[in-house]
Amino acid sequence: MEALGRVVEQRGADAPEPAEALTRPRGAWLRRLAGPLLSVGMLCLALWALRSLASQVSYREVARYVHGLENHRIVLAMLLTAASYGVMTLYDWFGLASIGRKLPRAQVTLISFISYAFSNALGMALLISGSIRYRFYIQAGLSTAEVAKVVLYCTASFWLGLFALTGVTLLLVPVPPTVPMASLRIPVAIVLTLIPVLWLAGSQVLRQPLRLWRWRVSWPSTPTAARQILTGAVDWGLAAWVLYLLMPNAVDTGFGHFMAIFVLAQIAGLVSHVPGGLGVFEAVMLAGFGATGNEGLEAPILGALAAYRLIYYFLPLCAATVVVLAREARGVAGKVPLAPWFTGLLPPFFAGLTLVSGAVLLFSGATSALPGRMEILRHVLPLPVLEFSHFLASMVGMLLLILARGLQRRLDAAYVLTLVLLLLGAVLSLLKGIDYEEATLLSLLALGLAPAHRLFYRRASLFSATFSVGWIIAILAVLGCAGWLVSFSYKHVEYSTNLWWEFSFYHGGAPRALRALVGAAAVGMLFALANLIRPARPDLHLPGEEELARALPLIKHYSSAQAHLALMGDKTLLFDAEARAFIMYDVEGRSWVAMGDPVGEDEDARRELVWTFREQCERAGGWPLFYQVRPQDLDLYLEVGMNLLKIGEEARVKLDGFNLDGKSKKVLRNTINKLTREGMRLQIVPAHEVGALIPRLKPISDAWMRDKGVREKGFSLGTFDPAYLARTPMALVWKGEELVAFANLFLTDSKEEASVDLMRHLPDGTSGVMDFMFIELMQWARAEGYVWFNLGMAPFSGLQNRRTAPLWSRLGALVFGRGERFYNFRGLHKYKDKFDPEWEPRYLAVPAGIALPLVLANIASLISGGLSGMVRR
């Protein structure tokens, strides 16, 4: 039996989920859906509320207010936005100061601006800004723990400032009764005010760190806490001031009254988990102003909110995008070396921008063009061209939503098509309404994406990309919002079947929007249908001699000798298209378990195989797992969003420094000398001569199994199979003329590593025969020029049993120390340790959110040869 432990590693583009998330039961996917479904539900509720509150508002009235805003108000709002983002940099400055670290001012400002520009616009502030900070600060030399402290400081400052500002404002200023929970103003105000007050008092009252479950929270000093609250309050105050400048004068009842509604709307948007609070924030603001005796002002209020979105969210996002793209362009030109973490961040970054671009095209298609621009087009463009451009632009928008997933999966075809569609979308934006703003956005993204072709290296089909439930919900939410925009923009147009066939420059907005929406929906449905009818689970078959012969050169040239396990013939082999690498795997239940890392020297082929294997498993409804993967290949699995669990350590002896000198080797030295005097010797037999020896080896194997009371294993352990044994060299131990032990050898042509797999000896043979075999093999391998000798893995070795360690790490350490009744874990580690090996960790790569106990049972079943083997030796 080989067992598994757990430790979570965090590297590269995709950070893993908490340890507890990996132990969820089979129905855990329902709970994982709760967050996205709640966000969609809140978005739908907000859109319904907006439609009800603005029932008499037309899209043209909203657009008229935005275009009528005075230039000086817009400029002042932009300056205040810059000041607000400048204050946000203080979060990082003070956070770094709190841990005693100092970085260049420009670097900290850049990190803070990029993280907040993206998190403010896209929502999920802790996840997005924390992820961006992690990657930038790790490159700057901070440790993971230090980055976590900075992120925690910034997040606490963000919320403490909001709570303080909201609590004090609500205590001093009443809110309209139409605002949600207005009747609870005083209790809410008291609670929100107490939170920062208690935070201030905590350092004086609680001298010792506060323990929350497994975490120890150290209270900041009073000056530090005050600085956190003040920074957050100023930040939120500036954000409110930006919108206050853009609001219509008719609803100006004082900044205090405005602030009370603003902070409540922001809290509602944040807790809804809708990206950017879109719809939720607007609904609460409209309820606070537009539905409180200000009839006829709903359109100006919505216009002010739209302008606020553009100035406070969209413009910083565009600026941050330009900064990141400029860095990428300099890196491609060779002026700035790009770190691996940064290149790993770019594909999902481009995927997110492509998703946004697709949404922009869909939303644009759902609204009417400006009359002045349409007048220009009427004189220079035939009506059919305009109609076709409008229809095709929305279809391009839906295709960009779909292709964004392909970019995230690094597909070459998705890269090429996205580049083409971005340029096409830019042209269509001009043809359908001279929307030069959209054309500029799409062209800039295409310009930034163009030099990044090397990041999208996978040659897989677009239809091979699987769509997660969250991704599907995101696409449907964008399409639903586009449908709501059509309904809102043309709610005063009386619907009739003839509307579908009306074509006009001036009165064709509603028909164009309906046709565009249907076209986009049709593209999505056709793609979904194509995915539904694609081939399902592939036929699994064990490799024949032809496949094994194709795999043998890859095995021999690979750096790890464990690749020889493919020669057992009990695992399916998955080759890449050009047979430059392969994965060996087997299936047990829902677990598709790959043994070790992809085998091959071509890194691109190995990386592509990991993606291919994961997508093949997902199409079949299985869980992709990689068992016993090495530290140097962890990026292959982190890149596809898998988590890593430490399952033990592998013992490898560096042969050029191996000897039997010293006091610690006295027992081994005496054993070897004694057995050598008794006539024991080692013989290495080449693979082509092993077949003739099988009749002499079989009795030894049978006697060993009877003595141990065990049965044959499999998967990661060799079995006594004549065909398998005849494919590898054999080490024989003779005592005089009697054969007493044997082991088949794994030898790499590169001389990087030598190892053994199946080891058997006569039970009544001389004591120490296995020690003799290992010592003689190491000395032989060193003489042959091999660098390492691999003694195999010790399950659960190296796992921590500290109180702050992850749950599965503690459980693994417990089994390692007290599981001798089932398997001699500690004894196995102790036996290998006497050869003074270097212990190297081994991991299990798993997708997030799987039922880990079931996965472990499936792997144990594969190794033990079935469920019955798990309970028998």
Side-chain angles (χ1 to χ4, degrees), residues 468-700:
S468 65
V469 175
W471 198 274
I472 294 172
I473 289 176
I475 293 177
L476 292 177
V478 171
L479 188 60
C481 288
W484 181 89
L485 268 178
V486 171
S487 173
F488 175 77
S489 302
Y490 303 104
K491 59 186 173 183
H492 299 299
V493 176
E494 185 177 351
Y495 176 79
S496 68
T497 55
N498 293 330
L499 198 63
W500 295 95
W501 311 109
E502 291 183 9
F503 303 93
S504 169
F505 271 105
Y506 297 113
H507 306 292
R512 276 194 291 272
L514 287 173
R515 289 191 292 265
L517 185 63
V518 171
V523 169
M525 291 179 65
L526 287 174
F527 186 83
L529 181 62
N531 275 267
L532 286 175
I533 63 177
R534 67 186 174 187
R537 177 170 176 161
D539 294 330
L540 303 180
H541 64 278
L542 297 181
E545 291 299 327
E546 182 179 346
E547 275 190 286
L548 292 176
R550 185 164 44 146
L552 188 58
L554 299 173
I555 295 171
K556 289 295 184 182
H557 288 89
Y558 191 52
S559 58
S560 173
Q562 298 302 312
H564 286 75
L565 288 170
L567 299 179
M568 291 171 61
D570 65 341
K571 294 173 281 289
T572 301
L573 303 184
L574 174 65
F575 289 87
D576 72 302
E578 300 176 9
R580 297 171 297 171
F582 71 88
I583 286 174
M584 48 179 150
Y585 70 95
D586 202 352
V587 178
E588 179 70 23
R590 290 187 62 189
S591 301
W592 294 49
V593 188
M595 180 60 221
D597 301 296
V599 177
E601 294 184 300
D602 191 300
E603 288 302 315
D604 291 338
R606 299 174 71 237
R607 182 174 285 105
E608 173 61 26
L609 270 176
V610 175
W611 283 100
T612 302
F613 182 69
R614 171 158 191 171
E615 289 169 350
Q616 178 176 295
C617 296
E618 289 175 347
R619 287 196 298 272
W623 295 324
L625 313 168
F626 287 85
Y627 179 61
Q628 286 194 30
V629 299
R630 303 179 298 172
Q632 56 265 44
D633 286 327
L634 297 187
D635 62 307
L636 297 178
Y637 314 106
L638 292 169
E639 187 176 272
V640 300
M642 301 182 81
N643 291 343
L644 298 165
L645 321 180
K646 186 176 179 182
I647 57 175
E649 294 177 313
E650 192 169 79
R652 303 173 76 221
V653 178
K654 192 69 176 292
L655 293 176
D656 60 0
F658 176 76
N659 57 64
L660 294 179
D661 299 336
K663 185 177 180 180
S664 63
K665 300 286 181 49
K666 180 179 179 181
V667 175
L668 275 178
R669 188 167 57 247
N670 292 339
T671 299
I672 300 306
N673 291 336
K674 175 178 178 294
L675 294 179
T676 301
R677 289 193 300 269
E678 293 177 358
M680 192 166 287
R681 58 187 173 87
L682 177 75
Q683 178 188 4
I684 307 298
V685 178
H688 65 273
E689 297 180 10
V690 172
L693 291 171
I694 295 297
R696 299 193 64 176
L697 304 179
K698 187 69 163 62
I700 298 176

Side-chain angles (χ1 to χ4, degrees), residues 212-240:
L212 297 175
W213 189 39
R214 296 181 325 188
W215 306 97
R216 291 166 59 89
V217 180
S218 298
W219 291 95
S221 64
T222 301
T224 300
R227 194 163 54 185
Q228 283 184 284
I229 297 169
L230 181 61
T231 304
V234 172
D235 171 27
W236 282 107
L238 288 171

Side-chain angles (χ1 to χ4, degrees), residues 352-428:
L353 290 182
T354 301
L355 190 72
V356 171
S357 300
V360 167
L361 283 175
L362 282 176
F363 296 161
S364 174
T367 56
S368 58
L370 296 176
R373 299 180 184 182
M374 291 298 291
E375 180 65 24
I376 296 174
L377 286 176
R378 190 176 74 88
H379 295 289
V380 299
L381 201 68
L383 179 60
V385 174
L386 182 141
E387 296 285 357
F388 182 72
S389 299
H390 194 283
F391 181 75
L392 191 58
S394 291
M395 298 178 69
V396 169
M398 175 55 73
L399 286 173
L400 288 176
L401 296 183
I402 296 171
L403 289 172
R405 178 62 166 175
L407 290 180
Q408 187 190 41
R409 292 300 180 101
R410 296 167 171 79
L411 298 183
D412 175 74
Y415 165 82
V416 174
L417 285 176
T418 300
L419 204 56
V420 171
L421 290 179
L422 286 172
L423 296 175
L424 177 61
V427 174
L428 294 174

